[in-house]
């Protein structure tokens, strides 16, 4: 039930981000110092830290999750918050113990990730209550994940043509921090208001969030494509996938498909998540299996 509470789809997404960072790092540096065992171990430590962060978030979100009719175990009363908190604390300690065995830069990244997770949900910070800080935390968590994958490939060599790494990670982090936060708000406005949050959905209204989400999706995809074309980077597949996703998010968000009950209002977020999966999978496959000249 703790695993369900953290949303396995989120854990898979962070695993893909880690893999994307490693793939881009290997391609940019043209060196692969990280062994498969080291890659797997680092990825496991990272996902354990993400598990701890999201489970803690579930513990701290009981009020709004129940108000929003969430189907996760804590909101349904099938998982006691105290039990979930104990598991989250154990996972955090386990990730820190694992991080101590990893290269120093990655160990610090794990510590920073856990600190960001606490600041997002825990007192006295509760950064989740406002859209701006919540978006910033989301983007930082993404950037740290890509960086961890990059560093495990080569912790020594940093001088390289790393434009693909930088451009991709910034684009998908903006996609997560802007489009993800806004589309998620659409289905949670009532619960957020009840919990005292000051998200854009609560303060500016649903229609404003819809317009901003569609605009953020199209702007992020357009900027990503422009930079890739300008620098002639091998990221065309990822750009095309994000464009398709941005159009889908726009159509779903502004049209009738996402109107009505919570399940319908959740559709823009599902379109956002599906795009994330597609962009990362396309990148990993394209970089791992480049076309033969």
């Amino acid at each position: 039930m703790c695993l369900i509470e953290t949303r396995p789809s989120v854990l898979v997404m962070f695993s893909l981000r880690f893999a994307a960072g490693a793939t881009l790092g290997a391609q940019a540096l043209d060196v692969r110092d990280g062994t498969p065992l080291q890659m797997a171990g680092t990825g496991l430590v990272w996902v354990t830290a993400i598990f701890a962060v999201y489970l803690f978030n579930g513990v701290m979100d009981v009020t709004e999750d129940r108000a929003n009719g969430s189907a996760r175990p804590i909101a349904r009363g099938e998982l006691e918050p105290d039990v979930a908190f104990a598991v989250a604390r154990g996972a955090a300690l386990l990730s820190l113990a694992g991080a101590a065995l990893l290269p120093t830069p990655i160990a610090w990244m794990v510590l920073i990730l856990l600190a960001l997770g606490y600041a997002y949900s825990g007192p006295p910070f509760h950064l989740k209550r406002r859209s701006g800080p919540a978006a910033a935390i989301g983007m930082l968590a993404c950037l740290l994940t890509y960086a961890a994958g990059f560093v495990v490939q080569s912790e020594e060599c940093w001088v390289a043509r790393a434009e693909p790494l930088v451009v991709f990670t910034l684009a998908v982090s903006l996609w997560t921090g802007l489009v993800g936060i806004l589309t998620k708000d659409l289905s949670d406005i009532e619960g957020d208001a009840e919990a005292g949050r000051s998200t854009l959905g609560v303060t500016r209204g649903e229609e404003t969030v819809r317009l901003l989400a569609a605009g953020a999706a199209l702007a992020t995809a357009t900027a990503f494509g422009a930079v890739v074309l300008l620098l002639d980077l091998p990221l065309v597949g990822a750009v095309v996938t994000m464009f398709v996703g941005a159009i889908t998010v726009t159509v779903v968000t502004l049209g009738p498909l996402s109107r009505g009950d919570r399940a319908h209002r959740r559709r823009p977020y599902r379109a956002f998540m599906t795009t994330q999966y597609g962009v990362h999978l396309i990148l990993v496959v394209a970089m791992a299996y480049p076309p033969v000249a």
Side-chain angles (χ1 to χ4, degrees), residues 45 94-104 106-108 110-111:
V45 169
L94 187 61
S95 67
L96 287 173
L101 304 175
L102 299 175
T104 301
I106 300 178
W108 277 106
V110 172
L111 182 60

Side-chain angles (χ1 to χ4, degrees), residues 16 45-46 80 94 100 110 114 122 131 133 162 178 254 260 275:
L16 282 173
V45 169
W46 196 263
E80 289 295 325
L94 187 61
V110 172
L114 291 171
S131 296
L178 298 178
L254 299 183
T275 303

Side-chain angles (χ1 to χ4, degrees), residues 152-177:
V152 77
Q153 282 288 26
S154 177
E155 57 181 296
E156 302 295 337
C157 179
W158 294 91
V159 181
R161 184 177 181 269
E163 290 98 335
L165 173 74
V166 174
V167 171
F168 180 82
T169 55
L170 285 177
V172 291
S173 295
L174 284 170
W175 179 265
T176 300

Side-chain angles (χ1 to χ4, degrees), residues 110-266:
V110 172
L111 182 60
I112 293 170
L113 178 69
L114 291 171
L116 288 173
Y118 182 83
Y120 180 84
S121 300
F125 308 102
H126 297 296
L127 298 181
K128 63 182 181 179
R129 292 177 175 174
R130 296 184 179 274
S131 296
I137 292 290
M139 287 187 282
L140 285 172
C142 289
L143 289 171
L144 280 171
T145 304
Y146 298 117
F150 177 88
V151 172
V152 77
Q153 282 288 26
S154 177
E155 57 181 296
E156 302 295 337
C157 179
W158 294 91
V159 181
R161 184 177 181 269
E163 290 98 335
L165 173 74
V166 174
V167 171
F168 180 82
T169 55
L170 285 177
V172 291
S173 295
L174 284 170
W175 179 265
T176 300
L178 298 178
V179 185
I181 290 294
L182 290 168
T183 53
K184 185 177 182 298
D185 279 354
L186 284 174
S187 61
D188 295 342
I189 293 175
E190 294 179 3
D192 288 346
E194 184 172 324
R197 292 191 181 189
S198 299
T199 63
L200 284 173
V202 173
T203 60
R204 301 299 181 186
E206 180 179 325
E207 294 306 315
T208 298
V209 173
R210 289 180 182 275
L211 290 172
L212 288 174
L218 292 173
T220 302
T222 300
F224 185 27
V227 174
V228 166
L229 288 176
L230 181 65
L231 299 180
D232 191 24
L233 302 178
L235 299 173
V236 175
V239 168
V240 171
T241 305
M242 185 177 286
F243 259 115
V244 172
I247 293 171
T248 303
V249 167
T250 300
V251 171
V252 172
T253 302
L254 299 183
L257 291 173
S258 61
R259 309 282 177 167
D261 60 19
R262 187 174 188 269
H264 285 78
R265 286 184 282 120
R266 190 77 172 169

Side-chain angles (χ1 to χ4, degrees), residues 11-119:
L11 300 181
V12 171
M13 190 64 249
F14 272 96
S15 299
L16 282 173
R17 288 174 181 141
F18 181 86
T23 303
L24 282 168
Q27 188 273 342
L29 296 170
D30 194 28
V31 61
R32 293 168 176 78
D33 288 350
T35 65
L37 182 59
Q38 186 178 9
M39 289 278 294
T42 304
L44 181 60
V45 169
W46 196 263
V47 171
T48 301
I50 293 293
F51 172 86
V53 166
Y54 272 81
L55 186 55
F56 176 64
N57 176 253
V59 173
M60 300 302 294
D61 278 1
V62 176
T63 300
E64 45 266 63
D65 281 350
R66 286 178 176 167
N68 285 321
S70 172
R72 294 201 295 273
I74 293 178
R76 293 200 311 263
E78 296 179 2
L79 175 62
E80 289 295 325
D82 289 346
V83 174
F85 178 70
V87 174
R89 183 171 53 193
L93 292 174
L94 187 61
S95 67
L96 287 173
L101 304 175
L102 299 175
T104 301
I106 300 178
W108 277 106
M109 290 177 192
V110 172
L111 182 60
I112 293 170
L113 178 69
L114 291 171
L116 288 173
Y118 182 83

